[in-house]
Amino acid sequence: MKNLVIIVAILFIALPVFASEIIDTDNDGLSDEQEINIYKTDPQKADTDSDGYNDGEEVKNNYSPLNPKKVKIKDNDYDNDGLSDEMEIKFKTDLTNPDTDGDGYKDGAEIAKGYNPLDSKLKAKLIKKIEINLKQQKLSYFLSDVKLGEFLVSSGKNNSTPKGNFKTSNKSIKAWSSYGLWMPYWIGIENQKFGIHELPVWPNGYREGQNHLGTPVSHGCIRLGIGSAKIIYDWVEKGTPVIIN
Ligand SMILES: [Ca+2]
Ligand SMILES: [Ca+2]
Ligand SMILES: [Ca+2]
Ligand SMILES: [Ca+2]
């Protein structure tokens, strides 16, 4: 009897949720709810952009159901706000509205500056985070747990880069290393003797090679390539968490 009560209770709780998820009026493989709230496609029309492929089929293969050209969701920016449709879906913004929270700043500009595109309060920021995977020799950077990008690094040889949870401290366009070389785009790690920086430059101008990226060769620092170092330098803030594993 007790089991029966539980089963009936589960049915009553689960059914309405289940039912609302499976309504697919145009039978294109996307639920009405997904079409209205996420993909902004027409729930009454299986092929919203009239390119011969159903919305569900396009989404399954990562193509935009809103662009009749053969363009991937990650490369489509339907509302032209500087944030791709794929990123809009990840950040839960409206991919057809360039300013989802109506605060006068476009979604793309808000994400680029670390602001919350779903919160119109001024200075509502999203949490930044850097993760470094020593085994893969990769640095990934995240805004609100959405990965914005990743770069190859060169960490310390002989496991000289410590694992753990750290925070960034000072930044310097060009820092001098006691090993006798320049470290451009230096990002210090709080209370640690290592940091993140661009491939180092010797006093005679010689630059350590790009071919070191992907291989641990430093004395403990995390080296980034030319270009990627500046991106992280400009993006990071004092106190940004750095997780090394
Ligand atoms: Ca549908
Ligand atoms: Ca289509
Ligand atoms: Ca967009
Ligand atoms: Ca906005």
Side-chain angles (χ1 to χ4, degrees), residues 47-55 58 65:
D47 178 8
T48 299
D49 58 8
S50 305
D51 63 355
Y53 299 98
N54 281 354
D55 297 340
E58 296 216 58

Side-chain angles (χ1 to χ4, degrees), residues 31-41 43 88-89 92-95:
S31 70
D32 289 13
E33 195 262 333
Q34 285 176 309
E35 301 218 47
I36 294 163
N37 293 324
I38 300 171
Y39 297 104
K40 304 290 171 179
T41 43
E88 302 239 20
I89 291 165
K92 299 186 167 58
T93 45
D94 181 346
L95 61 84

Side-chain angles (χ1 to χ4, degrees), residues 2-230:
K2 197 180 159 199
N3 284 347
L4 187 68
V5 171
I6 291 169
I7 288 166
V8 171
I10 288 170
L11 278 177
F12 269 95
I13 295 162
L15 263 181
V17 175
F18 187 60
S20 68
E21 274 177 2
I22 55 156
I23 296 171
D24 178 6
T25 305
D26 56 5
N27 200 28
D28 64 354
L30 293 181
S31 70
D32 289 13
E33 195 262 333
Q34 285 176 309
E35 301 218 47
I36 294 163
N37 293 324
I38 300 171
Y39 297 104
K40 304 290 171 179
T41 43
D42 186 344
Q44 312 283 341
K45 188 181 171 191
D47 178 8
T48 299
D49 58 8
S50 305
D51 63 355
Y53 299 98
N54 281 354
D55 297 340
E57 196 182 352
E58 296 216 58
V59 166
K60 202 173 138 204
N61 292 301
N62 301 316
Y63 285 102
S64 168
L66 295 173
N67 191 334
K69 294 198 193 109
K70 209 174 170 182
V71 175
K72 296 267 188 185
I73 295 181
K74 71 177 173 62
D75 298 320
N76 201 55
D77 181 4
Y78 182 86
D79 58 5
N80 205 22
D81 64 355
L83 197 62
S84 72
D85 292 0
E86 180 184 69
M87 280 298 180
E88 302 239 20
I89 291 165
K90 286 183 178 173
F91 281 108
K92 299 186 167 58
T93 45
D94 181 346
L95 61 84
T96 61
N97 179 354
D99 179 10
T100 300
D101 60 7
D103 63 358
Y105 297 96
K106 288 185 178 175
D107 296 342
E110 296 216 54
I111 292 299
K113 298 255 180 228
Y115 288 105
N116 189 343
L118 295 172
D119 187 339
S120 61
K121 279 200 297 292
L122 279 178
K123 294 182 179 161
K125 287 212 149 189
L126 295 174
I127 292 169
K128 293 181 177 183
K129 179 179 70 178
I130 286 175
E131 264 183 38
I132 295 161
N133 185 313
L134 296 178
K135 200 171 170 194
Q136 295 176 357
Q137 291 288 292
K138 270 184 189 160
L139 178 150
S140 307
Y141 60 116
F142 298 81
L143 186 60
S144 187
D145 284 330
V146 175
K147 193 199 256 193
L148 298 179
E150 64 174 31
F151 299 115
L152 263 186
V153 299
S154 172
S155 66
K157 62 187 170 197
N158 304 323
N159 301 315
S160 54
T161 304
K163 293 182 179 177
N165 296 346
F166 308 100
K167 278 190 164 91
T168 59
S169 54
N170 63 312
K171 293 205 279 186
S172 169
I173 284 280
K174 199 177 170 193
W176 177 251
S177 160
S178 56
Y179 290 105
L181 32 77
W182 292 106
M183 304 175 293
Y185 299 116
W186 164 265
I187 303 162
I189 306 290
E190 202 173 78
N191 302 324
Q192 298 292 319
K193 288 196 171 73
F194 72 101
I196 301 168
H197 60 82
E198 195 178 58
L199 292 167
V201 182
W202 293 92
N204 66 5
Y206 172 74
R207 166 91 73 172
E208 297 259 337
Q210 289 272 14
N211 57 352
H212 287 169
L213 296 173
T215 312
V217 300
S218 80
H219 294 284
C221 282
I222 309 289
R223 295 176 177 176
L224 279 163
I226 296 165
S228 50
K230 185 176 189 303

